[in-house]
Amino acid sequence: MDASVLDASVQFALAGAHAARNAYSSAGPELAMKGRHVTRPGSRAWGASVRRAPRAPACVLLFGLVAHSAAVYAQAQTSRRGDDAVRPINPETEPRPEWRAVRASGPISIDATLVEPAWKEAEPITRFVQSEPHTGHPPTERSEVRILYDDRSLYVGAMLHDSDIRRLMYAGAEQDFDAMDGDLFSLMLDPFLDRRSGFVFSIDPSGAVRDMHVFDDGRRTNLAWDGVVHVKTAVTDSAWIVELAVPFTTLRFDPRRSERPWGLNIVRRIRRKNESVYWAPLERRHRVIRVSRAGTLAGLEGIRQGRNLTVKPFVLAAQESGSLRAADGTEARLDAGVDLKYGLTPGLTLDLTYRTDFSQVEVDQERVNLTRFPLFFPEQREFFLENAGIFAFEEVTGENFRSRASARDFTLFHSRRLGLTSDGRPIPMLGGGKVAGRLGHYDVGVLHMRADAAYGKPAEGFSMARVRANLAENVDVGAMLIDRRASSDPETYSQSYGVDANARLFDRLYINSYYAGSAAPESAADGTAAWLSLGWRDRFWDVSAMAKRVGAHFEPTVGFVRRRALRNFYGTFGLHPRPSVSWLQELNPYVEVDYLTDLRSVLESRTVNLGFAALFLDGGTLTLEYGDRFERLTEAFRVFPGVTIPPGAYAFRDATAGYQIGRGHRVTGDVQLAAGEFFDGTRRSVGFGTLWRPRYNLFVELSLDHNDVDLPEGSFTADAMAGRVRYAFSPNLFGSAYMQYNKQTEQLVSSLRVTLFHAPLSNVFLVYTERRDMAERGVLERLLTFKVTKLLAF
């Protein structure tokens, strides 16, 4: 960049920042959350404009931030281009690497020694590239990865050198650990080479495994997917070693096309340095789940999947008590059931379940809700999470860019509506089945479940069908149909349907859309919803816009809708400059506007956020946000027991500051502070979460969400606090204790769990759960469960 252009950009930024500072100073204390005005129904001002403090300073401040960020970006680019000593590669233009697997010349023993002659016959992969903190640069530690195979398995041996092995970070010795909490080695495989779906296996230095199934090029992931793998790790005085065997029966591929390569990527994370290195280089905003950016693995010849038939029976003994569980005192029960999985084709799987049980699933996390709308709680049950990406019909977003889209606002199929009451009580599931997977260029899924009668509700059947056509590498269109019907009265039913289309063009432009409807006997006509989202995300720009309409009577009874009878418009604009400062990775100033009206175009809610984020070299993140909000209440809002906000038009402002500590420390966590107006009062909140790792196998977590609200209608504090201790006796035996309290609902929930993996995908669970009503001093539910499962493979 020409020096005169750079100088002009810098001067432009300084002028903008100077103007913003002067404007803010001249506004004086009026900006300190003054100018609030409330109107009530019946007053002369009802429906009129709400008086506000001047907005000009915020706009000028944004002008200064944008200009300054542009100048920083220009300066950083000039600095980097002028540095001939170190010229990093550009991961977005770098060709995708290729590798060839070697057939093992003898048997491989999974013992983390890598001493078999076959390992010495395979050339190692040694060229890796940083994704963060210094994108495009060589890694700071050497890694050697070798790949072998035989008729039954794919083998990976990794020697991960470390100049300070004593500072190795463990994410947790239990299965499906948090991959961001420690050092790890990950392998991504795309056996169909469709550049859209794949399997990821992440290994912790303790030998724990986190596996997942990836759909839609990383837009959807299924962490609950479990595959049979064999892993051993070892730590020496200068490296840690991974030896991994992935049986071909664990994966899905077409053995008739064994000459076709697989997609492959490999990542190593060095947590204390906040360093992630990839074999197929990726930009900082991407992760290993970006299947389309993987390299290729050739040479896998003469392999086959086998029969792909597994049967998993279970037996359990349980004792239940409490007002929500047993009607008369304590109830004991013995039960048994079975799950069956069969590979119909290389890409299509049949799952059958009889007397499905989910008693080992963890309790939901308690949260404070100070909005007028319901909270979304995610699915945690294994049967429904398997192939969940195929059945997903929801508001999706591109990877790592700001958007209003979220499954917490809408999903046409929310499997928690099957087998659970609205307050989380389990309904007995008699059984069911599903067929899901890939059929040529189509993703298909069919599911049927039967629920028994419970809590005054009749027995029901749930049926759904989903198809998605992959028209190109990153373009798909699909449809879904759902039917919910009472077993005793087939005329009592509800149905939902929808079509959707998604595309990613030029690897940066995201287009997502859907049209959905619902129907039931004697239902109103306006039972539809439609949504369109556009987004652009590259190394510097982050821009998106969204429009949505939800009818007043749109009711997908097997889905989730947070808010109805609305028109919603959203837009955001942000930048991601990377200044040439040694301790800073990236800056992110942004502005976003969320505008909601009713179906007559009368304003109901408006939010304008002006924000700024900074990503530091160690992975720490600072966020600052100023919000300008408007809410129109057409009916009284019970915000807290005994406190109700009357109808009216409310304008209020608040500010938030937060900091996330980099995860490369023994003690990590985050803190968030917020203060400002809340409807016609004030609100101050503090939230924090912390993780302490005194040992590689011991984790202590604490969290708090404290809200101090002062309203003319009453003052209150709403708190949710939780503590968890996790201990791994070995990679196959774990224990955890969890306690949480929600002052808003006045409930105390405690849970104790012991899990033993006695064989691959075979478990023993001992779970104790208790929920208490602290206001009435009574036990709502108490459950003690002992459950054993065993996977039988044929």
Side-chain angles (χ1 to χ4, degrees):
M1 178 178 287
D2 186 82
S4 61
V5 176
L6 174 63
D7 182 66
S9 299
V10 173
Q11 294 299 323
F12 182 64
L14 291 175
H18 183 68
R21 185 191 65 182
N22 289 342
Y24 187 86
S25 300
S26 63
E30 286 188 303
L31 269 184
M33 301 175 187
K34 301 291 185 181
R36 179 183 65 224
H37 186 66
V38 180
T39 57
R40 314 275 188 169
S43 70
R44 296 182 62 184
W46 174 252
S49 299
V50 179
R51 180 167 54 89
R52 300 305 311 266
R55 291 196 182 99
C59 298
V60 176
L61 179 59
L62 174 64
F63 168 81
L65 284 173
V66 171
H68 177 67
S69 297
V72 168
Y73 178 71
Q75 185 178 23
Q77 295 302 306
T78 302
S79 173
R80 287 174 179 140
R81 289 171 184 160
D83 186 0
D84 294 327
V86 178
R87 187 180 297 274
I89 68 167
N90 184 349
E92 295 189 312
T93 58
E94 186 75 4
R96 298 298 89 187
E98 301 176 356
W99 200 254
R100 190 171 187 85
V102 175
R103 178 175 279 274
S105 57
I108 302 296
S109 176
I110 305 301
D111 54 14
T113 60
L114 306 181
V115 296
E116 289 86 356
W119 287 118
K120 296 180 175 59
E121 297 168 6
E123 288 292 324
I125 297 173
T126 59
R127 185 180 184 273
F128 292 85
V129 179
Q130 283 193 50
S131 172
E132 46 179 346
H134 303 296
T135 305
H137 286 259
T140 62
E141 306 285 356
R142 179 176 173 81
S143 303
E144 302 171 35
V145 180
R146 293 173 168 84
I147 301 178
L148 303 171
Y149 76 98
D150 59 19
D151 291 340
R152 296 177 300 174
S153 301
L154 180 75
Y155 302 96
V156 179
M159 180 72 70
L160 309 171
H161 299 273
D162 198 313
S163 57
D164 192 357
I165 199 68
R166 295 173 300 176
R167 298 180 63 191
L168 201 64
M169 300 291 292
Y170 293 81
E174 73 269 23
Q175 304 299 307
D176 291 333
F177 55 88
D178 189 334
M180 300 302 295
D181 279 343
D183 287 59
L184 89 157
F185 172 82
S186 291
L187 178 78
M188 194 287 296
L189 297 172
D190 173 13
F192 284 103
L193 196 65
D194 59 11
R195 301 296 186 184
R196 296 178 61 87
S197 60
F199 304 89
V200 179
F201 304 93
S202 299
I203 316 299
D204 177 85
S206 67
V209 179
R210 173 189 169 101
D211 46 15
M212 72 172 71
H213 197 181
V214 179
F215 303 89
D216 296 342
D217 200 15
R219 287 184 301 175
R220 299 182 178 95
T221 61
N222 179 12
L223 184 59
W225 178 84
D226 288 316
V228 175
V229 295
H230 307 284
V231 179
K232 285 290 183 180
T233 60
V235 179
T236 71
D237 57 358
S238 61
W240 66 286
I241 304 168
V242 177
E243 192 166 15
L244 168 68
V246 183
F248 291 126
T249 54
T250 296
L251 306 173
R252 295 287 178 264
F253 61 92
D254 190 347
R256 298 167 300 180
R257 306 180 65 180
S258 60
E259 77 285 351
R260 184 173 183 174
W262 290 13
L264 170 70
N265 208 349
I266 302 168
V267 59
R268 177 191 179 184
R269 179 170 296 118
I270 307 171
R271 185 69 276 173
R272 70 179 185 278
K273 300 181 180 181
N274 190 40
E275 181 175 327
S276 297
V277 299
Y278 288 82
W279 174 61
L282 293 180
E283 250 296 330
R284 182 185 299 156
R285 67 182 183 275
H286 299 318
R287 295 291 181 265
V288 70
I289 58 177
R290 190 62 175 265
V291 183
S292 62
R293 298 296 294 165
T296 52
L297 176 68
L300 298 172
E301 300 174 351
I303 62 176
R304 57 190 180 88
Q305 284 185 297
R307 192 171 297 172
N308 274 331
L309 172 63
T310 63
V311 179
K312 191 173 183 179
F314 77 85
V315 294
L316 71 83
Q319 180 173 291
E320 305 175 356
S321 61
S323 59
L324 295 182
R325 286 279 183 171
D328 299 312
T330 300
E331 177 182 313
R333 65 184 178 99
L334 295 173
D335 204 353
V338 63
D339 294 337
L340 180 146
K341 184 185 297 289
Y342 179 64
L344 299 173
T345 70
L348 209 58
T349 303
L350 167 68
D351 287 272
L352 298 175
T353 181
Y354 173 69
R355 298 192 64 82
T356 315
D357 176 78
F358 309 111
S359 55
Q360 78 277 8
V361 174
E362 287 193 348
V363 296
D364 292 319
Q365 180 181 353
E366 293 290 322
R367 289 181 283 172
V368 173
N369 184 12
L370 298 180
T371 73
R372 294 172 283 155
F373 310 104
L375 295 175
F376 176 91
F377 289 93
E379 179 62 86
Q380 301 186 70
R381 299 170 296 177
E382 180 181 347
F383 179 83
F384 293 114
L385 287 170
E386 184 78 22
N387 278 322
I390 291 176
F391 291 96
F393 189 112
E394 60 196 19
E395 296 179 7
V396 298
T397 181
E399 184 186 356
N400 198 24
F401 78 82
R402 186 171 293 101
S403 169
R404 181 66 172 80
S406 172
R408 297 176 181 272
D409 284 332
F410 166 74
T411 178
L412 191 64
F413 172 52
H414 186 35
S415 55
R416 277 183 64 105
R417 303 294 290 270
L418 282 67
L420 286 174
T421 63
S422 58
D423 57 0
R425 290 179 292 172
I427 296 174
M429 300 298 292
L430 300 176
K434 62 181 176 180
V435 175
R438 188 175 181 84
L439 198 60
H441 293 289
Y442 295 88
D443 296 327
V444 296
V446 179
L447 182 148
H448 180 76
M449 296 293 294
R450 305 291 295 184
D452 203 355
Y455 307 111
K457 296 180 178 294
E460 292 183 296
F462 302 84
S463 302
M464 58 211 66
R466 176 72 158 129
V467 62
R468 183 186 298 119
N470 302 303
L471 304 182
E473 185 172 296
N474 288 301
V475 179
D476 63 75
V477 297
M480 190 171 201
L481 176 63
I482 302 171
D483 183 270
R484 179 177 186 172
R485 197 171 294 261
S487 302
S488 58
D489 182 9
E491 296 303 315
T492 302
Y493 69 89
S494 64
Q495 294 177 331
S496 307
Y497 57 89
V499 293
D500 60 343
N502 306 282
R504 190 179 74 240
L505 307 177
F506 318 114
D507 203 39
R508 295 172 178 83
L509 176 62
Y510 298 81
I511 306 173
N512 306 107
S513 63
Y514 67 71
Y515 177 85
S518 62
E522 301 179 1
S523 64
D526 193 10
T528 61
W531 172 73
L532 174 65
S533 174
L534 304 175
W536 178 277
R537 179 68 165 95
D538 59 22
R539 191 168 183 170
F540 185 66
W541 302 103
D542 184 352
V543 184
S544 73
M546 179 272 289
K548 177 169 66 173
R549 182 189 185 278
V550 181
H553 303 286
F554 178 60
E555 183 58 57
T557 58
V558 194
F560 179 85
V561 181
R562 185 168 181 264
R563 193 167 177 175
R564 296 175 178 81
L566 64 84
R567 291 190 176 104
N568 187 188
F569 304 94
Y570 172 86
T572 183
F573 174 83
L575 308 176
H576 293 264
R578 301 179 181 181
S580 52
V581 179
S582 61
W583 46 269
L584 191 62
Q585 289 193 67
E586 188 172 286
L587 300 176
N588 176 214
Y590 64 89
V591 62
E592 58 181 349
V593 179
D594 194 18
Y595 192 89
L596 291 91
T597 75
D598 64 15
L599 298 178
R600 298 169 300 165
S601 299
V602 176
L603 177 64
E604 286 196 345
S605 301
R606 181 190 63 235
T607 301
V608 180
N609 288 328
L610 178 66
F612 179 82
L615 176 62
F616 300 100
L617 189 68
D618 69 347
T621 305
L622 171 69
T623 57
L624 304 171
E625 192 169 85
Y626 174 79
D628 186 340
R629 312 180 192 283
F630 172 87
E631 292 287 341
R632 186 188 305 279
L633 302 182
T634 57
E635 57 185 31
F637 168 34
R638 182 179 179 269
V639 66
F640 194 80
V643 180
T644 300
I645 302 175
Y650 299 85
F652 48 102
R653 298 169 176 175
D654 56 22
T656 303
Y659 184 72
Q660 166 74 55
I661 302 173
R663 299 197 186 186
H665 306 281
R666 297 293 177 187
V667 179
T668 65
D670 63 273
V671 62
Q672 187 173 72
L673 307 174
E677 300 165 321
F678 184 68
F679 290 90
D680 54 349
T682 61
R683 173 185 175 186
R684 296 182 300 275
S685 66
V686 178
F688 81 87
T690 185
L691 169 65
W692 176 39
R693 293 177 274 196
R695 288 172 47 85
Y696 77 94
N697 60 345
L698 176 60
F699 294 76
V700 180
E701 301 171 70
L702 297 173
S703 65
L704 170 68
D705 183 7
H706 170 76
N707 294 268
D708 188 357
V709 180
D710 184 13
L711 296 166
E713 296 77 19
S715 300
F716 62 90
T717 58
D719 299 329
M721 55 195 73
R724 185 197 302 267
V725 177
R726 296 181 286 130
Y727 185 79
F729 301 92
S730 73
N732 297 319
L733 179 60
F734 325 110
S736 67
Y738 185 38
M739 182 172 289
Q740 50 184 336
Y741 173 67
N742 188 334
K743 188 174 181 179
Q744 191 175 23
T745 60
E746 296 192 274
Q747 290 188 4
L748 177 68
V749 181
S750 54
S751 176
L752 297 172
R753 292 168 53 89
V754 177
T755 304
L756 170 67
F757 287 83
H758 61 90
L761 301 188
S762 303
N763 315 89
V764 176
F765 299 100
L766 180 61
V767 183
Y768 174 80
T769 302
E770 181 183 274
R771 184 184 301 272
R772 284 183 172 272
D773 186 331
M774 302 305 291
E776 300 295 333
R777 303 293 180 182
V779 175
L780 298 176
E781 57 180 339
R782 181 182 288 141
L783 176 65
L784 178 63
T785 302
F786 179 76
K787 181 177 180 178
V788 180
T789 69
K790 173 61 178 177
L791 181 73
L792 305 173
F794 300 94

